[in-house]
Every structure is written in structure tokens, then in C-alpha cells.
Amino acid sequence: MSDSVTDYGIVLVTTSSPEEAKVIASALVESQLAACVTVIPVQSIYRWQGEINEDQEWQLIIKTRLELFRALSDKVIELHSYEVPEIIALPIVAGSQAYLNWIGENVRLNKC
Amino acid sequence: MSDSVTDYGIVLVTTSSPEEAKVIASALVESQLAACVTVIPVQSIYRWQGEINEDQEWQLIIKTRLELFRALSDKVIELHSYEVPEIIALPIVAGSQAYLNWIGENVRLNKC
Amino acid sequence: MSDSVTDYGIVLVTTSSPEEAKVIASALVESQLAACVTVIPVQSIYRWQGEINEDQEWQLIIKTRLELFRALSDKVIELHSYEVPEIIALPIVAGSQAYLNWIGENVRLNKC
């Protein structure tokens, strides 16, 4: 499998509450920065200011075009309650063409 | 870390019910198109035919060889209730060799 | 979006119990092999020694620098109850710089 890369990816974001997850997910879909957002309740263990913490969080898995990452990131930061929210993108290297087309039809074009 | 890529990847699929998730997951493992499938209940927010929708879904995380993506995709489409199911692959860039070998031993070879 | 790759990635590990998930997650964060670990209860369908099995597991999503993969993998194997635990890394191709910096500040440098 060549290390082919598509124009698409998933973006991971965590939030502090299901309400915050829904606000951010809905805003991303409504503003066509994402075609679909999946939300999962999770438990997070992390280091913050030198201390090990454990909190319940909500994991968003955001399906989009990777060229929208900057605009998507700005929208998440605008809405998010954290000082430094998780916003990381993973590459989609293969996909059913019908599904990738569906993502493409449901997100805005990136006007550079 | 060089952008090394292995022959392996994870494939993400969502289904409308836990039963559908189990049927598809079992079929993929039994037909050696996947070595392991993890299933997670999720909430999905998405745009379909211009409307924002929210539904419960089940997220499959499928561990396989990326060269099997086309055959795996065909099997999912054959069994799936959606018109356009999510079928997207992410690349594994590093892995415990014993685990990657285990995936390799439990999926079929791709006869091109 | 060029197939740019950052030095960061997520590592997926599954465990047999929430206690094992917490022991491994805490050890990785305390030893600065990971900045954050997210834990999710999942259902896994897999082939083991020729049989199809279904078990409850716990999925760890570990955020780290990819150059630490070998040391992280060794630590998981040291603590894990499985003979062949899942330890696979996916590449982060884009991220909020503040978040990537936070990962970098909370994991050790890899002394080669």
C-alpha cells in the first residue's frame, strides 16, 4: 500500500462536558467545517502544570478535508473552555469514494 | 520519526445498531479481512441532504492490512444498511512487531 | 494538504480491565512517555489461535512524540497481561501548535 494520502482526515478534540461537545460539533457541521462529528464519553489521565490528573471528557472525532484544519482549529479555540484544547489531525489514506465525496459535498471549499 | 508507513492500518466504519456492528465485525474477522474489530457506542452529529441530524451509532475500529481495503470496503457495503457508509482508513506508522505479525497471520493475502 | 507529518502521534493499546488501563496510562504519563491517555470501554471481536472471540476491553488513546514509540512499547509490554498486546501508532499530520507544544513539554526527550 503506497503511503498515499487523500485530502481528507479526522480531527480529534476533547471537551469537558457533553454540552460543550454538542455545541462545538454542531457549530463545525453548521459552518461546513466538518461533515460529521462523532462524540464518545472517555476517561482522561494527563499531566497539567506538573500534576497527574484524571477527568471525564468527551472525545470528538471530526471528519473533514485537511485543508480546513486551520479554520476548524480557530472555530474550536473560539468556542472551547480550555486554555489549550486538544486539536490534532490524522490522515485518511484510503476511503470509499462515495463517502469521501459525501464529506467533500458537505464541507466548504477553502478560499486561500 | 520519518514518515515511515507500515502495510497496516485501521479502518473506521459506523453502523446504525449494535447488531449491525456485530454482523459486520464478525463477517470481516471470519473472512480474514480483519484480525480484530473494536466496537464503541457513539453519538453522531452530521449533515444529510441539507439537514443537521443527531443519531446514536456504533463506531467500528478495524485492524487490518491496508492492501485489503478494497475487499474490506466491498464486504462492508454488501452488508451495510446505509446508502453511503463511513469506510475510511488511517495508516499505522509504527507497531509492536509481534502485534503486526499477529494481524498479518490472521488476515488473508491479497491475490491481485 | 501535503502529506506533512509532525513528530507527534497517537498510540492505540487495548487492555483487559479498567484497572489495567489505569495502571498503564498512569505509568506512561508519570514516566513522561505520554502527555495524555484517553480510556474508552469497548467490545472487541477478534481471532485468537483460530477461534473467533468476543470480549470487553478498554481502548487507550495515547498522545505522545513518535520517537518515544519504542520506549513506550517496552513499558506497555512490561506492564501488560497479554502475551501480544495491541500497540500501534498513527501519525498526527497537523495540530494546534499550543497543544503540540504541550505534548512536547510533558514527554521526555529521546536520548538515542
Side-chain angles (χ1 to χ4, degrees):
Chain A
M1 173 88 198
S2 77
D3 53 351
S4 68
V5 176
T6 71
D7 294 331
Y8 301 90
I10 67 170
V11 177
L12 303 182
V13 170
T14 51
T15 64
S16 61
S17 70
E19 293 75 21
E20 184 169 53
K22 184 156 182 186
V23 164
I24 292 175
S26 304
L28 292 176
V29 173
E30 276 154 22
S31 56
Q32 297 196 288
L33 287 168
C36 173
V37 181
T38 304
V39 181
I40 309 172
V42 303
Q43 204 66 19
S44 289
I45 295 168
Y46 58 98
R47 182 187 294 273
W48 182 254
Q49 295 170 342
E51 296 290 322
I52 310 287
N53 295 265
E54 180 173 349
D55 287 325
Q56 180 157 30
E57 289 193 302
W58 278 260
Q59 178 77 67
L60 280 65
I61 303 177
I62 302 162
K63 271 74 55 122
T64 189
R65 287 175 64 92
L66 286 173
E67 65 177 11
L68 294 172
F69 180 78
R70 173 61 51 87
L72 184 154
S73 197
D74 292 345
K75 175 65 82 175
V76 170
I77 290 168
E78 177 197 319
L79 297 171
H80 210 293
S81 60
Y82 292 1
E83 197 188 310
V84 180
E86 169 187 293
I87 315 172
I88 49 181
L90 310 180
I92 295 173
V93 290
S96 109
Q97 197 53 56
Y99 185 74
L100 296 180
N101 292 347
W102 174 74
I103 294 179
E105 288 149 16
N106 284 283
V107 294
R108 62 170 94 154
L109 285 178
N110 193 29
K111 297 173 211 82
C112 308
Chain B
M1 173 88 198
S2 77
D3 53 352
S4 68
V5 177
T6 71
D7 295 331
Y8 301 91
I10 66 170
V11 178
L12 302 182
V13 170
T14 51
T15 64
S16 60
S17 71
E19 294 75 21
E20 184 168 54
K22 185 158 181 186
V23 164
I24 291 175
S26 305
L28 292 176
V29 173
E30 275 154 20
S31 57
Q32 296 197 287
L33 286 168
C36 174
V37 182
T38 304
V39 181
I40 310 172
V42 303
Q43 204 66 19
S44 289
I45 296 168
Y46 59 96
R47 182 188 294 273
W48 182 254
Q49 297 170 342
E51 294 291 323
I52 308 287
N53 295 265
E54 180 172 349
D55 287 324
Q56 181 158 29
E57 289 193 302
W58 278 260
Q59 179 76 66
L60 279 66
I61 303 177
I62 303 161
K63 270 74 53 123
T64 189
R65 288 175 64 92
L66 286 173
E67 64 177 10
L68 294 173
F69 180 78
R70 173 61 52 87
L72 185 153
S73 198
D74 292 345
K75 176 65 81 174
V76 170
I77 289 167
E78 177 197 318
L79 297 171
H80 210 293
S81 60
Y82 292 1
E83 197 188 309
V84 180
E86 170 186 292
I87 316 172
I88 49 180
L90 309 181
I92 295 173
V93 289
S96 109
Q97 198 53 56
Y99 185 75
L100 296 181
N101 292 348
W102 174 74
I103 294 179
E105 287 150 16
N106 285 282
V107 294
R108 62 170 94 155
L109 284 178
N110 192 30
K111 296 175 209 76
C112 308
Chain C
M1 173 88 197
S2 77
D3 53 352
S4 67
V5 178
T6 71
D7 295 330
Y8 301 90
I10 66 169
V11 178
L12 302 182
V13 170
T14 51
T15 65
S16 61
S17 72
E19 294 75 20
E20 184 168 54
K22 184 157 182 188
V23 164
I24 291 175
S26 305
L28 292 176
V29 173
E30 275 154 22
S31 57
Q32 298 196 287
L33 287 167
C36 173
V37 181
T38 304
V39 181
I40 309 172
V42 302
Q43 204 65 21
S44 289
I45 295 168
Y46 60 97
R47 184 188 292 273
W48 182 254
Q49 296 170 342
E51 296 291 321
I52 309 286
N53 295 265
E54 180 173 348
D55 286 324
Q56 181 159 27
E57 289 192 303
W58 278 259
Q59 179 77 66
L60 280 64
I61 303 177
I62 302 161
K63 270 72 60 117
T64 188
R65 287 175 64 92
L66 286 173
E67 66 177 11
L68 293 173
F69 180 78
R70 173 61 51 88
L72 185 153
S73 198
D74 292 344
K75 176 64 82 175
V76 169
I77 290 168
E78 176 196 319
L79 297 171
H80 211 292
S81 61
Y82 292 1
E83 196 188 308
V84 181
E86 170 188 290
I87 315 172
I88 50 180
L90 310 180
I92 294 174
V93 290
S96 111
Q97 197 53 56
Y99 185 74
L100 296 180
N101 293 347
W102 174 75
I103 294 179
E105 287 150 17
N106 284 283
V107 295
R108 62 170 94 155
L109 284 178
N110 194 28
K111 296 174 212 79
C112 307

